[in-house]
Amino acid sequence: MNSMVTIDRHILEEERSVPGATGAFSDLLYNIALAGKIIHREVNRAGLVNLLGKTGDINVQGETVAKLDDYANDVLVNTLSQGGRVCVIGSEECENVIHPATVGPDAKYVVHFDPLDGSSNIDANVSIGTIFSISERVTPLNTTPTEADVLQPGTRMIGAGYIVYGSSTIMVYTTKKGTVNGFTLDPSVGEFLRSHQNIRTPERGKILSCNVGHAQYWEPAVERFIRSVQTEDKQKGTPYTLRYIGSLVADVHRNLLYGGIFLYPPNIRGSLHRGKLRLLYEANPLAMVVENAGGLASTGEGRVLDLQPTALHQRTPLYIGSKQDVLEIERLIRDQSPEERG
Ligand code: AHM
Ligand code: MG
């Protein structure tokens, strides 16, 4: 039998390789994995809960049936708060930052998360996921965290990852140390087991992931890129395959393993926007994972991780995936005339 490595053992092994590690960061990762297991359980019986909770708001245990994304948010907030290691939390579900109920004297971590990304897919049993980022506070311990703690650039993250609730549940995370590892949940033993060690993403992919329904609103460089990957070419080979789930976390996970590019450009026509995806709890953590696996994440104009956030729910354009594909779209964007940029 192959040796099985649980996520706990992997986290411990990583901790031992960091001189002076106190175990606080490991503890935080254990708590996130635990929250992932609880959310997995609920995601898996979501249809059933609805069926049983016919009134719409009371389940079989007599508890209120929460919307799954509210539920996932509560699980994460409670699990992280209990640990006492986190001084402030930013969540997609909450307008303002959350100050955990229990804050230990050495609570130095700032955590941002999207509790259930792709939640519009829930009712159709399509893959969804949790995305998280971890940074260290920059203000002194035992003081009230400020914007300086909450709005740190992605380059300051010390850990990031995601959990996809799909055909199986997988947790992928990375740390400053640099490797990206994946752990598949074995529901029969209730453990995340290491299934993907030191993930490296292909230099160039074969998959294009974007909502082409919005193509009419995009700048010409994006249209040029899409046309170029639809055409057989010496360098790129056969045309790319279009794959778009509509759950960022699942689209990025698939492309991480197979190679490819996910893009969510700004609209320069129609209902104007500078991107839909949120910087702090969607783009940044996925960027850290993808870059540590050898890929790139760009706003179209530069590295996502270099952006200085100015708001908790700030949005950004996102081009993420295989290095050569992301470099190519950056080049096409750079080569546009100012009129074409809109
Ligand atoms: P959510 O966090 O509210 O689920 O929204 C983000 C989701 C992403 O997962 C996905 O990539 C995107 O929205 C899909 O948007 P669109 O429907 O415009 O293609
Ligand atoms: Mg989301």
Side-chain angles (χ1 to χ4, degrees), residues 69 92-93 114-121 128 131 210-212 214 244-251 262-264 273 276-278 281-282 315:
D69 32 17
E92 189 201 295
E93 289 297 314
D114 179 351
L116 218 47
D117 176 60
S119 50
S120 65
N121 282 318
I128 48 181
I131 312 173
C210 58
N211 187 339
V212 285
H214 299 167
Y244 189 69
I245 297 169
S247 291
L248 170 73
V249 63
D251 277 310
F262 174 97
L263 37 116
Y264 209 109
H273 65 63
K276 171 180 181 184
L277 300 168
R278 271 61 54 104
Y281 42 79
E282 292 180 324
R315 295 172 193 263

Side-chain angles (χ1 to χ4, degrees), residues 124-330:
N125 288 30
V126 176
S127 299
I128 48 181
T130 298
I131 312 173
F132 62 91
S133 85
I134 307 169
S135 310
E136 280 178 334
R137 65 181 303 171
V138 291
T139 54
L141 290 174
N142 283 315
T143 59
T144 306
T146 69
E147 275 204 347
D149 299 308
V150 176
L151 305 179
Q152 300 187 53
T155 44
R156 292 197 49 90
M157 285 183 292
I158 57 165
Y162 57 81
I163 304 161
V164 176
Y165 313 100
S167 53
S168 57
T169 289
I170 184 168
M171 174 162 164
V172 173
Y173 83 88
T174 191
T175 62
K176 262 213 146 3
K177 212 174 143 230
T179 63
V180 179
N181 294 281
F183 305 82
T184 301
L185 182 65
D186 181 338
S188 65
V189 289
E191 292 276 14
F192 278 110
L193 302 176
R194 193 167 65 198
S195 50
H196 298 68
Q197 197 169 3
N198 193 11
I199 299 172
R200 303 297 298 165
T201 198
E203 275 268 307
R204 191 181 276 285
K206 275 274 156 218
I207 297 175
L208 169 69
S209 311
C210 58
N211 187 339
V212 285
H214 299 167
Q216 60 182 310
Y217 305 128
W218 296 340
E219 53 194 300
V222 182
E223 291 171 41
R224 279 177 201 135
F225 178 80
I226 293 175
R227 261 203 312 279
S228 83
V229 301
Q230 287 173 329
T231 316
E232 192 160 337
D233 166 272
K234 264 209 204 88
Q235 219 179 7
K236 298 198 206 82
T238 51
Y240 285 20
T241 298
L242 180 73
R243 292 281 183 272
Y244 189 69
I245 297 169
S247 291
L248 170 73
V249 63
D251 277 310
V252 168
H253 176 64
R254 181 205 51 241
N255 292 0
L256 178 76
L257 299 182
Y258 298 168
I261 181 166
F262 174 97
L263 37 116
Y264 209 109
N267 278 2
I268 63 156
R269 286 181 282 274
S271 64
L272 304 180
H273 65 63
R274 292 286 308 147
K276 171 180 181 184
L277 300 168
R278 271 61 54 104
L279 175 63
L280 285 171
Y281 42 79
E282 292 180 324
N284 267 347
L286 295 176
M288 184 176 184
V289 169
V290 167
E291 291 205 356
N292 282 359
L296 275 183
S298 173
T299 63
E301 288 163 351
R303 216 171 153 220
V304 167
L305 295 176
D306 285 335
L307 274 184
Q308 172 59 57
T310 52
L312 177 60
H313 299 288
Q314 178 175 341
R315 295 172 193 263
T316 176
L318 182 62
Y319 304 90
I320 185 169
S322 293
K323 196 174 190 168
Q324 295 308 325
D325 294 301
V326 176
L327 287 175
E328 189 162 333
I329 195 140
E330 275 188 336

